[in-house]
Amino acid sequence: GLLIMEQMYSLKTAAQLLDVSVKTVRRLIHRHNIPTYTVGTRIRIKKSDLDKLIIKNLSIMDIYLPV
């Protein structure tokens, strides 16, 4: 079958999207057991996992993402 690569973000990009620090992104990933993927030497997070992180944290963080 056809494998469609899901959008993946660096921790820096994820932090920018969430408007938080990279340190906060690392903390959230650890706290919510979000899987990370190593691509070469770089750590990536899937868009779907980032979306879950946003939904989980909407109650405690005021996150605005342009649609």
Side-chain angles (χ1 to χ4, degrees):
L2 183 65
L3 180 68
I4 298 167
M5 271 295 290
E6 184 179 347
Q7 173 80 46
M8 292 182 114
Y9 297 118
S10 66
L11 298 188
K12 185 179 175 184
T13 301
Q16 288 169 344
L17 288 169
L18 296 172
D19 194 25
V20 295
S21 69
V22 172
K23 194 174 182 179
T24 299
V25 171
R26 288 180 190 278
R27 197 179 303 124
L28 291 169
I29 285 168
H30 182 74
R31 187 183 300 153
H32 298 290
N33 295 312
I34 301 295
T36 56
Y37 304 88
T38 306
V39 181
T41 58
R42 309 211 181 264
I43 296 170
R44 294 286 181 262
I45 179 172
K46 281 185 180 177
K47 182 185 185 303
S48 60
D49 291 326
L50 185 65
D51 291 342
K52 284 179 204 159
L53 200 56
I54 292 165
I55 291 162
K56 280 183 181 176
N57 286 284
L58 278 176
S59 57
I60 59 165
M61 294 169 76
D62 183 23
I63 297 169
Y64 168 74
L65 281 181
V67 177

